[in-house]
Amino acid sequence: MDEKAKNTILNILSHRGLLSKEQIAVVLSKEDVQRARLLKSKGMYLRRGRIEQSNISIIDIIDSLKFNLPGEEDGYLTEEIIIEEIAKHLGMPFLKIDPLKLDSDVVTRIISRPYAFKHQLVPIELSNNTLTVATSNPFDREGIDGIERSTGYDIKTVVSTKSDIHRIITEFYGFKSSVAAAQRELASRIDLGNLEQYVKLKSISELDATDQHIINAVEYLLHYAYSQRASDIHIEPKRDNSLIRFRIDGILHDIHRMPRAVHPAITSRIKTLARMDIAEKRRPQDGRIKTDQDGKEIELRVSTLPVAFGEKVVIRIFDPNVLMQDIEELGFMEKELRLFRSFISSPHGLILVTGPTGSGKTTTLYSALKTLSTSEVNLTTIEDPIEMVYDRFNQTAVQPQIGVTFASSLRTILRQDPDIIMVGEIRDLETADNAIQAALTGHLVLSTLHTNDAPSSATRLLDIGVPSFLINSTLIGVVAQRLVRKVCHYCVEQYNLSEDECYVLGINYDKFKNIKVSIGRGCPQCRGTGYLGRTGIFEVMEITERIRAAIDNKATPSDIKKIAKGEGLVTLRECAIKKMLKG
């Protein structure tokens, strides 16, 4: 960015009242020092055999100085605010780039990576003959004109932040170029369908280098998933290509399409990292990878499944900050939180957490165990598989192929002097019997069951063959839960419920018509969905004397639910409505 552009930016910010004359003087006096400091913090990176320095602009320097926004104590003058003001001044549209909405072919095919880096711009959309280009330096006409001359497209320019453009260049060009290079190398491998194909054997040095592009592609993919807050990565082989999808806030998004030839190599690399058998392609396999992102450890659980066109890979991402939270942060309402705390503070008994797969049961259990794990107790878990390794727990993995089941592990653990036991799941009568015996002999046992609500849990235990007197002697309480999406706090709006909406929700319109509820209108932060992040809703049922009598009489779940509601049970639906009415 030249001197003229620098002065223009400072004048725009001064004119808009975002920088005072004193602050501009600070910027100019500290410019060289801050540039050196930013270069040192960003470091230098090696690209194609030569070292290049990050290009530090006056916007980066202002952003690093953290000036307060006028009239705001907590707000800072950030890169995004500066770029937005420049765009307004120049009469150009500002765009917060959503990587999930970009076509990777458009981003990477039209201009080269060095050109994109040099001019801080990236193509983001091609419609008819109009190419939309995002730039972080709208004063650099040379870059835009160069694309116009070389492509012949009509260019529409939008302004975006440099950090967004850098991320797109790194992730898209990095992944795409790695996949393309891998495809070129893999294209020379033998085709089993062509019996006369000539095979050229590679030299040792070539063989060593072959996997590098695949290694890079997998690493780019994982970094991209972390930055997009994905909970799962799906790599699915199709007839002509391979589809990569991310699950974000419970919803799957298409991310990339890879050439079909690259899929087996990507799969083998992931299986190698997860210490799985890369030669076995006919059977499902499970593995795990421990990695780190920005200094924090992340667990990845890998599952492969043979499907029609090859092996499908699903990587589940376990962020320890999400998996182990303080109980207060899980989303319990005040009364339910008190009840749950009373359950886990019991010296012995059985606590069940229920819900379908992906409803956050593991997070609730791990968070409860984190609260309970002190130096005074021996806390042991039996899991299938171990979700996340945590050194304050003694964790055992179920291995049915060698006879290590939930039931057999539980029998052994009882000889290990435990105080608290977590059983990953009660699946059969043998496991249920052992869990109940553990609870009867003075241990606190936590486990999960697959039922839709809390009242069904007792009936489920009866169904698998547990006598009612044993259930009544040990069961303390049941928590049923689901995960719901939270309204995006960046684009939240308030509105009043209509009469039809109140009718659907089953609430009184006259009573609630003046209450404001929140809705997200959709913004770049939430990718236009109106939702950002998830929270739990909970149905917490205490096993009271009346419920014990109902269990003794083999009551139906609906009868137990009726009794529980009479004693103050808030159902999942009611909990969700309460949360909605609170915003």
Side-chain angles (χ1 to χ4, degrees):
M1 197 173 277
D2 60 23
E3 198 68 24
K4 185 180 175 186
K6 179 178 90 173
N7 291 331
T8 304
I9 289 166
L10 292 173
N11 287 335
I12 290 169
L13 296 176
S14 171
H15 178 70
R16 297 266 175 181
L18 294 170
L19 278 184
S20 64
K21 285 180 180 175
E22 292 78 12
Q23 287 170 328
I24 289 173
V26 170
V27 172
L28 295 172
S29 65
K30 292 189 174 180
E31 183 179 353
D32 292 337
V33 175
Q34 285 299 106
R35 181 170 277 109
R37 194 173 289 162
L38 288 170
L39 275 171
K40 190 177 177 184
S41 69
K42 290 188 180 204
M44 302 168 108
Y45 56 96
L46 185 65
R47 185 156 62 82
R48 295 193 181 171
R50 67 182 189 276
I51 290 181
E52 293 188 359
Q53 287 189 345
S54 302
N55 179 22
I56 306 297
S57 71
I58 195 70
I59 295 171
D60 299 316
I61 288 160
I62 298 168
D63 180 47
S64 71
L65 289 168
K66 295 279 181 278
F67 290 120
N68 277 100
L69 282 171
E72 289 187 34
E73 282 183 29
D74 301 326
Y76 294 107
L77 184 57
T78 61
E79 176 196 17
E80 194 165 312
I81 294 168
I82 296 166
I83 289 286
E84 262 195 273
E85 291 299 334
I86 292 168
K88 276 182 202 167
H89 179 82
L90 298 175
M92 297 171 74
F94 171 80
L95 179 72
K96 176 78 179 163
I97 303 174
D98 179 0
L100 299 187
K101 290 183 178 168
L102 300 184
D103 180 339
S104 58
D105 280 338
V106 171
V107 174
T108 56
R109 180 174 49 83
I110 293 167
I111 62 171
S112 68
R113 181 177 181 160
Y115 191 90
F117 257 122
K118 181 185 176 184
H119 295 286
Q120 301 296 310
L121 47 75
V122 67
I124 56 171
E125 187 183 4
L126 180 60
S127 177
N128 299 324
N129 200 49
T130 302
L131 178 69
T132 305
V133 175
T135 177
S136 64
N137 183 6
F139 304 102
D140 176 16
R141 285 305 311 171
E142 182 190 339
I144 302 291
D145 293 342
I147 299 176
E148 195 164 22
R149 282 194 305 272
S150 64
T151 63
Y153 293 133
D154 298 326
I155 305 295
K156 177 186 170 189
T157 311
V158 296
V159 184
S160 295
T161 60
K162 187 167 85 174
S163 52
D164 275 0
I165 286 171
H166 262 212
R167 194 171 73 243
I168 298 299
I169 293 171
T170 303
E171 288 167 353
F172 277 72
Y173 280 92
F175 181 79
K176 199 78 179 176
S177 61
S178 298
V179 167
Q183 186 189 15
R184 285 194 297 274
E185 287 180 352
L186 292 165
S188 61
R189 302 267 175 101
I190 187 165
D191 177 3
L192 296 177
N194 181 353
L195 300 180
E196 295 183 11
Q197 179 167 309
Y198 173 73
V199 181
K200 177 183 177 292
L201 294 180
K202 288 184 168 65
S203 67
I204 295 298
S205 61
E206 284 178 312
L207 284 172
D208 287 344
T210 298
D211 287 342
Q212 191 58 49
H213 302 300
I214 290 297
I215 291 168
N216 290 345
V218 171
E219 292 199 3
Y220 279 122
L221 189 63
L222 293 176
H223 283 297
Y224 192 23
Y226 301 152
S227 70
Q228 296 304 311
R229 301 182 301 106
S231 61
D232 300 84
I233 304 168
H234 291 242
I235 305 170
E236 304 171 359
K238 304 296 180 189
R239 189 186 303 279
D240 302 315
N241 51 38
S242 180
L243 176 64
I244 297 174
R245 302 197 285 170
F246 290 170
R247 189 179 293 280
I248 302 167
D249 292 339
I251 307 296
L252 276 170
H253 300 264
D254 289 0
I255 302 296
H256 287 296
R257 284 190 184 274
M258 292 190 301
R260 181 77 182 81
V262 179
H263 180 87
I266 294 276
T267 303
S268 293
R269 173 60 184 164
I270 292 166
K271 286 166 77 174
T272 303
L273 289 172
R275 297 191 297 281
M276 293 153 80
D277 182 355
I278 61 170
E280 180 56 80
K281 299 179 189 299
R282 299 164 302 167
R283 287 197 188 102
Q285 293 187 67
D286 290 302
R288 64 192 315 118
I289 303 166
K290 199 176 188 83
T291 179
D292 76 303
Q293 170 73 357
D294 297 333
K296 79 179 172 192
E297 286 188 351
I298 291 180
E299 292 260 354
L300 307 175
R301 208 167 74 208
V302 182
S303 170
T304 65
L305 177 73
V307 293
F309 300 108
E311 278 185 293
K312 181 186 173 188
V313 181
V314 175
I315 304 171
R316 173 156 281 191
I317 300 169
F318 289 105
D319 184 337
N321 294 343
V322 173
L323 203 57
M324 286 198 205
Q325 303 178 33
D326 292 332
I327 292 174
E328 293 82 2
E329 294 170 5
L330 295 175
F332 282 101
M333 305 290 267
E334 198 176 329
K335 179 192 161 196
E336 282 69 30
L337 180 61
R338 276 201 311 272
L339 258 181
F340 186 60
R341 280 194 172 284
S342 73
F343 293 170
I344 63 173
S345 58
S346 303
H348 55 81
L350 176 65
I351 300 164
L352 293 175
V353 179
T354 80
T357 305
S359 58
K361 300 189 295 295
T362 305
T363 300
T364 301
L365 284 175
Y366 268 61
S367 299
L369 293 177
K370 182 185 170 191
T371 303
L372 295 169
S373 65
T374 63
S375 55
E376 290 88 35
V377 297
N378 174 16
L379 197 157
T380 308
T381 75
I382 312 163
E383 303 172 62
D384 181 21
I386 294 170
E387 302 279 14
M388 201 191 80
V389 178
Y390 188 56
D391 60 1
R392 283 169 68 180
F393 308 159
N394 299 300
Q395 294 168 287
T396 306
V398 169
Q399 299 177 71
Q401 66 274 19
I402 57 167
V404 181
T405 62
F406 278 119
S408 66
S409 298
L410 199 41
R411 281 195 299 273
T412 306
I413 279 167
L414 287 172
R415 297 194 285 274
Q416 289 273 319
D417 184 31
D419 298 295
I420 298 161
I421 303 166
M422 191 269 269
V423 183
E425 189 184 340
I426 292 177
R427 296 174 180 171
D428 51 39
L429 178 57
E430 192 184 3
T431 309
D433 269 343
N434 283 294
I436 281 170
Q437 287 306 317
L440 279 171
T441 52
H443 306 94
L444 182 64
V445 181
L446 294 89
S447 189
T448 70
L449 259 186
H450 281 294
T451 61
N452 288 328
D453 58 6
S456 304
S457 300
T459 318
R460 174 87 180 107
L461 290 175
L462 288 168
D463 287 345
I464 61 176
V466 182
S468 58
F469 73 90
L470 285 178
I471 299 171
N472 284 339
S473 304
T474 54
L475 191 58
I476 302 168
V478 184
V479 178
Q481 69 178 86
R482 298 288 189 281
L483 288 177
V484 292
R485 290 190 289 171
K486 292 195 288 189
V487 173
C488 173
H489 57 272
Y490 291 101
C491 61
V492 62
E493 289 180 345
Q494 303 288 316
Y495 85 109
N496 296 99
L497 288 171
S498 69
E499 194 166 353
D500 287 343
E501 286 168 328
C502 287
Y503 175 75
V504 169
L505 293 167
I507 59 178
N508 187 312
Y509 174 65
D510 293 327
K511 185 179 176 183
F512 291 102
K513 64 181 178 184
N514 293 322
I515 288 184
K516 298 276 186 191
V517 295
S518 298
I519 188 170
R521 66 175 180 273
C523 69
Q525 301 289 344
C526 63
R527 303 180 182 84
T529 60
Y531 300 100
L532 187 66
R534 291 191 289 177
T535 187
I537 55 168
F538 299 89
E539 182 177 287
V540 183
M541 185 178 84
E542 186 178 13
I543 307 301
T544 62
E545 289 307 318
R546 287 184 64 203
I547 290 173
R548 286 195 178 96
I551 293 168
D552 261 337
N553 295 326
K554 310 284 192 295
T556 63
S558 58
D559 291 336
I560 295 172
K561 188 173 188 173
K562 206 174 286 181
I563 295 165
K565 285 195 74 171
E567 296 184 335
L569 175 77
V570 178
T571 66
L572 286 166
R573 180 183 173 82
E574 289 164 352
C575 179
I577 291 169
K578 276 188 175 182
K579 287 207 163 190
M580 182 198 71
L581 294 172
K582 286 190 170 185

